[in-house]
């Protein structure tokens, strides 16, 4: 609405109150004010549009659209109406209508710079690149300004990027863009850095690397000033593409002489040195070595260069890490080539020890050395750690044996050693008692370290937080080894840590993972919310929340978390368009392809597809009781069994699987293989869920056919094609299930903090899969009965009867796998059974599908029964033999009702047990809980108990709704 400020319109004063109402969110008053104004001024188009905005915001979309189209048909040219319509169409998510609006305006006012630029931006929002090119040139002809000309050039590049045919891109769009820029170069009309960047981009995409290099090194390159070393970086990129290693080496060397702490140039320097050695390159005798100056082409020169950088660093007022790490990197590369002994650079162990002495008090010391620990022989690990500990100034405290640091620097050094101990596998090799002793020591050091952070703000992390995290990692090892009490102590220590460091994301993330592993989702929502995830993080870490919400029976929280994620994905489309427009306005052309790629990446996100599918299944589960409400729900979601909107070939796994810190050795950490397997598992599970959703969405489309089997009308009215779709989807589901079973045969174990496994294993093992598949096959049989009629369908009726019986048996088996205590106390230790909770959730889902299928059966059998009753009345016979299918169906519904009642009774029993469970009386063995830890233990147990209680209540409520609906299924 703010756009009205600069509008010079005589009606501005009259419209102002409506604008104010809309700005303040008082949409009803805005509509009333617009109506009053329109009574006096019928032709005030803007008032109509503002009324439409009010209607749109109060949920009356159809009325708003009709009113907007009424104004748009008049092809307005006043700023107020055009801008108001633009706002309305944007809120309707109909940006394509804005283009039509400005196309009409431009025809009426052909020389308006403002309308032409609005038209260009409207095309940019919908990605109409060809029309953008034309609009840009039209604008340049009216107002010959460079930016408009280069808008057109950039639109050609966008056509080349989006072209399906790469050949067309390189033979038509890019050469045309190149010629357009060359014309400006020849006429000496290049004014801005953005224009040079654009020229460079075109040449790079055309693989004309030499020409691109000439541009950067030439007069035009002088305009590249906005980014630090922009010119040098571009030259470096081109030298690499052209394999001009002498120039690459000389430039990297020159840049390192300027700044010996820039790591990227060390990597380029080493790469180029070894490339020149492999090519046996020798410098020319008389000429310059290269365009960029002196070249190093031997290992001796590289060694001397690094030694010189270290000597220079020692004179520097600020200690630089780069030269020391470069020496270790060179050793690694020489060792890889098998020639380390020839050039005495020193012992890696000694070099790392010296590095620790110099930088050990910096938090980055661990991450620096982590990269090079593979240079140490395993036999030296313990000696190396002892050597590091010996140089840390620790003072032994009088009341205990543990030597504690006296200041923050000593604490950081000790923390670095502890992290390296974990990384080198020293803790993993310990016995249970030793591990518990280390946990006690780490927690003692953690609590002692809190003294140094007394003045820290709540938003700052405590200096000793990593001690607590490492203690938790050790306890997780014990839990995996079968020590059940360890997981509860993990939660206790994390809750204690969070109380001292409320902004520590690692504490929260670990709590989320562990609570979810224990089946307690209730505390997770609040923890995730407090992480305050921003923008792309909803895609990268959102899986931590959405994976467990629905599967643990917290339906309301699941719905909320899915909505939260979907809101981000849906806003991405609109937001990215705005970023692209801003990039055009400010000449940041190189960012435009990045924004497009970013949008595509999010649209193809695995997490987006999962959340969308699970959200729709959840909505059906919560809202659709019988076939009529199922049909309404499916319509409102625009679901169609024929349509599959998941981009299977382009699915992108954007999950951040390393968001949780890990100090595990390589063999225990998340590997590339784990990532691939997790993506495969997630994709298989998504396919099963997507096909289930599409099969459910196909149920209302079948309806009751009435027509006999051989009638051609069934094919005409589309019903027979609908059953063909259902059968085809059923075959796809069978294939997906088979693939899923084959995948699970590998029995993959991910690291404890690696990717969480899907629900697929439980889906197969508890029998839900067989039940759901059988239900969809039953649909096919019922349809066959419907088309054949009752007279000649004894075999089908028998088949349906057998299906009903086996379904009840399978559902009973599934219920049996839900029996048991969710939380039990064994030898003073608490044990949860989250698999029982997941089985209950699967039962609810399966019984819901059974209900929807039964509702379809009911809609088919009911007309048959009424026809039989009419015949009975006509013939005045006292008894007409009822076909067996009616009896089968009524028996099935009765058994379904009994089974659901039994499950509800079981859930009530669980509620009573959970309420009566006294957790505070528990005592843990071997955990040696301190007094201050006991209150956190009580908190943790209370949260888990409350979460289970909440889950059971929500599942029970939903099942009661299902039972009420089953009772209505009487033919």
């Amino acid at each position: 609405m703010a756009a009205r400020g600069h509008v010079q319109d005589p009606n501005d004063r009259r419209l102002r109150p409506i604008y104010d109402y809309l700005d303040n969110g008082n949409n009803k008053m805005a509509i009333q004010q617009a109506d009053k104004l329109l009574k006096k001024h019928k032709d005030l188009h803007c008032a109509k549009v503002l009324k439409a905005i009010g209607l749109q915001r109060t949920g009356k979309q159809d009325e708003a659209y009709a009113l907007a189209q009424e104004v748009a048909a008049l092809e307005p040219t006043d700023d107020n109406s055009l801008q108001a319509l633009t706002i309305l169409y944007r809120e309707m998510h109909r940006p394509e209508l804005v283009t039509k609006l400005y196309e009409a305006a431009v025809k009426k006012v052909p020389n308006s710079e403002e309308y032409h630029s609005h038209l260009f931006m409207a095309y940019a929002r919908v990605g109409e690149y060809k029309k953008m090119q034309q609009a840009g040139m039209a604008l340049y002809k009216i107002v010959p300004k460079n930016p408009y000309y280069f808008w057109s050039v950039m639109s050609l590049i966008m056509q080349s990027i989006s072209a399906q045919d790469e050949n067309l891109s390189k033979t038509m769009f890019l050469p045309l863009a190149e010629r357009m820029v060359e014309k400006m170069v020849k006429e000496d009309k290049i004014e801005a850095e953005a224009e040079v960047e654009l020229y460079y981009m075109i040449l790079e995409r055309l693989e004309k690397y030499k020409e691109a290099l000439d541009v950067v090194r030439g007069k035009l390159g002088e305009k590249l000033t906005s980014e630090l070393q922009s010119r040098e970086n571009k030259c470096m990129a081109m030298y690499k593409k052209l394999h001009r290693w002498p120039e690459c080496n000389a430039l990297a060397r020159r840049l390192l002489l300027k700044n010996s702490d820039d790591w990227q140039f060390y990597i380029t320097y080493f790469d180029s040195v070894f490339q020149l050695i492999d090519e046996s390159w020798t410098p020319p005798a008389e000429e310059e070595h290269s365009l960029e100056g002196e070249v190093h082409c031997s290992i001796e020169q590289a060694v001397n260069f690094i030694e010189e950088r270290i000597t220079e660093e020692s004179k520097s007022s600020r200690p630089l890490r780069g030269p020391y790490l470069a020496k270790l990197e060179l050793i690694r590369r020489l060792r890889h080539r098998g020639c380390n002994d020839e050039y005495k650079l020193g012992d890696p162990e000694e070099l790392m020890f010296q590095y620790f002495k110099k930088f050990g008090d910096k938090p980055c010391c661990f991450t620096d050395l982590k990269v090079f620990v593979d240079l140490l022989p395993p036999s030296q690990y313990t000696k190396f750690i002892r050597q590091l500990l010996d140089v840390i100034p620790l003072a032994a405290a009088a009341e205990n044996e543990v030597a504690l640091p006296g200041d923050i620097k000593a604490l950081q050094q000790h923390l670095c050693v502890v992290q390296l101990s974990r990384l080198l596998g020293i803790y993993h090799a310990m016995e249970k008692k030793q591990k518990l002793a280390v946990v006690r020591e780490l927690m003692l050091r953690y609590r002692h370290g809190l003294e140094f952070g007394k003045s820290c703000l709540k938003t700052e992390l405590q200096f000793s937080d990593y001690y607590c995290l490492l203690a938790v990692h050790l306890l997780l090892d014990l839990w995996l080894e079968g020590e059940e009490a360890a997981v509860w102590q993990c939660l206790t220590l994390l809750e204690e840590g969070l109380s001292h460091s409320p902004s520590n994301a690692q504490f929260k993330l670990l709590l989320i993972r562990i609570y979810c592993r224990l089946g307690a989702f209730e505390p997770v929502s609040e923890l995730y919310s407090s992480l305050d995830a921003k923008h792309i993080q909803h895609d990268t870490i959102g899986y931590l929340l959405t994976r467990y919400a629905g599967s643990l029976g917290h339906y309301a929280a699941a719905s909320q978390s899915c909505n939260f994620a979907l809101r981000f994905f849906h806003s991405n489309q609109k937001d990215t368009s705005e970023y692209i427009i801003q990039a055009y306005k400010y000449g940041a052309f190189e960012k435009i392809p990045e924004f497009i790629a970013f949008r595509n990446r999010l649209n193809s996100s695995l997490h987006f597809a999962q959340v969308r599918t699970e959200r729709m299944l959840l909505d059906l589960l919560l809202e659709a009781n019988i076939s009529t409400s199922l049909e309404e729900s499916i319509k409102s979601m625009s679901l169609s069994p024929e349509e599959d909107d998941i981009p299977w070939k382009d699915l992108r796994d954007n999950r951040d699987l390393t968001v949780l810190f890990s100090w595990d050795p390589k063999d225990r950490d998340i590997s590339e293989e784990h990532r691939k397997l997790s993506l495969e598992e997630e994709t298989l599970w998504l396919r099963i869920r997507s096909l289930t959703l599409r099969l459910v969405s196909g149920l209302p489309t079948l309806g009751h056919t009435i027509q006999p089997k051989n009638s051609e009308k069934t094919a005409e009215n589309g019903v027979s094609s609908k059953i063909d779709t259902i059968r085809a989807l059923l075959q796809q589901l069978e294939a997906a299930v088979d693939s899923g079973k084959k995948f699970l045969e590998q029995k993959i174990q991910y690291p404890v903090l690696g990717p969480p496994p899907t629900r697929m294993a439980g889906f197969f093992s508890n029998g839900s899969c067989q039940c759901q598949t059988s239900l969809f096959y039953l649909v096919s049989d019922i349809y066959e009965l419907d088309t054949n009629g009752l007279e000649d369908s004894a075999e089908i009726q028998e088949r349906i009867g057998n299906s009903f019986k086996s379904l009840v048996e399978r559902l009973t088996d599934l219920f049996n796998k839900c029996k048991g205590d969710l939380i039990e106390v064994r030898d003073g230790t608490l044990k949860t059974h989250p698999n029982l909770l997941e089985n209950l959730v699967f039962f609810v889902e399966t019984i819901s599908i059974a209900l929807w299928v039964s509702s379809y059966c009911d809609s088919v059998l009911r007309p048959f029964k009424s026809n039989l009753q009419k015949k009975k009345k006509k013939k005045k016979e006292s008894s007409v033999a009822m076909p067996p299918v009616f009896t089968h169906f009524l028996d099935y519904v009765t058994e379904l009702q009994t089974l659901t009642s039994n499950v509800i009774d079981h859930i009530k029993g669980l509620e009573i047990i959970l309420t009566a469970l006294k957790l505070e009386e528990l005592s843990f063995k071997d955990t040696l809980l301190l007094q201050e830890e006991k209150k956190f233990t009580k908190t943790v147990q209370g949260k888990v108990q409350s979460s289970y209680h909440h889950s059971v209540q929500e599942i029970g409520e939903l099942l009661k709704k299902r039972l009420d609906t089953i009772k209505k299924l009487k033919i």
Side-chain angles (χ1 to χ4, degrees), residues 726-768:
I726 297 284
R727 285 167 182 161
L729 288 174
L730 201 42
Q731 283 182 334
Q732 289 177 44
L733 181 63
E734 286 278 24
V737 165
D738 287 343
S739 301
K741 285 177 179 171
K742 278 178 191 167
F743 179 86
L744 291 174
E745 281 168 13
Q746 299 173 70
K747 294 185 177 166
I748 294 145
Q749 286 292 318
Y750 300 113
V752 66
L753 298 176
T758 64
R759 298 165 64 200
M760 191 159 63
F763 182 62
F764 293 150
S765 63
N766 63 26
S768 302

Side-chain angles (χ1 to χ4, degrees), residues 340-530:
N340 189 34
D341 294 335
E342 201 176 330
Y343 306 96
K344 301 295 180 187
L345 277 158
D347 177 23
E349 186 182 336
E350 179 59 26
L351 291 172
M352 288 164 84
F353 174 61
Q354 293 301 329
Y355 185 83
F356 175 79
K357 279 169 73 175
K358 200 168 178 67
F359 300 104
D361 59 334
K362 304 279 189 290
C364 60
C365 184
F366 168 72
T367 47
D368 287 345
L369 292 179
K370 181 182 178 181
V371 183
F372 300 107
V373 289
D374 57 346
L375 294 174
L376 296 173
S379 58
Q380 297 295 313
Y381 288 172
T382 312
K383 179 189 159 221
F384 176 64
I385 293 295
R386 261 204 307 271
Q387 193 182 4
L388 297 183
L389 283 170
D390 288 343
V391 295
I392 303 172
L394 298 175
E399 67 271 12
N400 55 55
E401 297 168 11
V402 178
L404 297 167
D407 57 21
I408 295 166
K409 280 192 172 185
L411 182 143
Q412 289 287 10
Q413 284 179 311
H414 191 268
L415 253 179
C416 180
V417 177
V418 173
Q419 291 174 79
L420 283 167
S421 302
R422 174 85 182 168
L423 180 69
L424 295 172
I426 291 168
Y427 291 157
H428 293 94
M430 290 178 174
E431 295 294 318
K432 178 187 162 185
K433 280 188 178 176
Q434 288 176 296
K435 282 183 181 175
L436 283 171
V438 172
V439 169
R440 283 195 294 277
E441 185 197 323
L442 289 172
M443 287 311 293
L444 178 74
R445 291 184 179 281
Y446 166 68
R447 293 183 185 113
H448 169 259
L450 292 175
E451 291 174 20
F452 301 121
K454 281 180 179 174
S455 61
C456 286
L457 300 171
K458 279 191 174 182
T459 49
E460 294 177 314
L461 306 187
Q462 289 290 334
F463 296 108
S464 59
D465 278 353
Y466 277 16
Y467 281 129
C468 184
L469 281 171
L470 284 154
V472 169
H473 278 247
L474 272 165
L475 287 166
L476 283 172
D477 293 345
L478 288 169
W479 183 42
L480 288 179
E481 289 162 20
E483 193 64 35
E484 198 60 42
V487 74
W488 296 97
Q489 199 178 354
C490 279
L491 291 171
T492 299
L493 299 185
L494 287 167
E495 289 283 2
E496 182 187 344
L498 198 58
S499 71
H500 296 297
S501 198
S503 295
N504 192 315
Q506 286 300 314
F507 286 156
K508 292 173 188 178
L509 289 164
L510 261 174
L511 280 166
I512 287 170
R513 284 302 298 270
I514 297 169
Y515 275 129
C516 285
R517 283 285 291 260
L518 292 176
F521 188 79
E522 194 172 53
V524 169
S525 293
E526 192 182 336
L527 283 164
Y528 186 84
S529 177
S530 70

Side-chain angles (χ1 to χ4, degrees), residues 9 134 171 184 191 238-239 322 358 398 479 512 577 691 802:
D9 192 290
Q134 292 162 349
T171 56
M184 297 296 271
E191 297 167 357
M238 289 304 102
Y239 287 143
K358 200 168 178 67
W479 183 42
I512 287 170
S577 297
L691 287 165
N802 291 336

Side-chain angles (χ1 to χ4, degrees), residues 555 621 689 692 696 759 762-763 766-776 807-808 810-812 814-815 818 838-854 892 896 899-900 958-959 962 966:
Y555 297 117
L621 204 63
R689 300 295 281 169
T692 304
V696 169
R759 298 165 64 200
F763 182 62
N766 63 26
S768 302
C769 176
Q770 295 86 327
C771 278
Q772 292 185 17
T773 313
S774 303
L775 281 161
F776 293 124
L807 269 168
V808 171
R810 280 178 175 158
L811 283 164
T812 308
L814 176 53
F815 170 42
C818 301
E838 290 215 10
N839 287 350
L840 270 171
V841 169
F842 273 127
F843 180 86
V844 174
E845 191 180 292
T846 309
I847 209 86
S848 299
I849 294 173
L851 184 59
W852 298 327
V853 171
S854 303
Y892 165 68
L896 214 56
L899 179 62
T900 309
L958 196 50
L959 271 178
R962 295 290 172 265
I966 292 168

